[in-house]
Amino acid sequence: MPYIGGMNRIAITLTALMLSAAPLMAQEADDESVDEGFSLLEEGAKIIMRSMLDEVEPALKDLQFQLGEAWGEMGPMLHDLSAMIGDIKNYHAPEVLPNGDIIIRRKSPEELAMPEPGEEIDI
């Protein structure tokens, strides 16, 4: 039997659920058949969600582990950089030069005294 990928499996499950609910929708709409149809759709949605979570869970755990390792290595450097930079509002947006260098220019004292767009001014 060929492997059916996660999204293809979900599409097949949804199609099967809709086809199984079609006779219920075609019948005269009495409360019992409508409730049964919604119950089947709810069960199908639960099955799909469980299937998706089962497929994604190992990758999320791996990502969590990798992010923890990266933060352990980069955390002290980012802390030092943050102490050097201070308030990010003191700088212009980064510029990329034609040679690939990135420059982050500090705002002049006059620029720092000007209010940001949308910022309230004390009078």
Side-chain angles (χ1 to χ4, degrees), residues 12-111:
I12 291 169
T13 305
L14 276 175
T15 304
L17 283 170
M18 290 186 336
L19 289 175
S20 67
L24 289 174
M25 291 177 193
Q27 294 175 359
E28 191 173 76
D30 60 9
D31 290 341
E32 189 176 312
S33 65
V34 170
D35 289 343
E36 186 179 349
F38 281 124
S39 177
L40 287 173
L41 290 173
E42 182 182 359
E43 264 316 298
K46 286 179 184 177
I47 291 168
I48 291 169
M49 289 303 294
R50 277 190 219 113
S51 173
M52 287 173 44
L53 288 174
D54 289 346
E55 288 184 23
V56 172
E57 186 177 16
L60 288 176
K61 285 184 178 179
D62 188 40
L63 179 63
Q64 180 183 11
F65 176 75
Q66 290 175 356
L67 286 174
E69 281 187 336
W71 182 254
E73 294 174 11
M74 293 176 52
M77 289 182 281
L78 291 173
H79 179 61
D80 293 345
L81 179 63
S82 174
M84 266 195 308
I85 290 176
D87 190 355
I88 196 76
K89 292 180 182 179
N90 296 336
Y91 297 88
H92 289 283
E95 299 175 43
V96 179
L97 300 179
N99 67 357
D101 287 351
I102 299 172
I103 297 178
I104 303 174
R105 298 181 194 274
R106 182 181 282 275
K107 292 180 180 178
S108 68
E110 296 82 27
E111 291 172 313

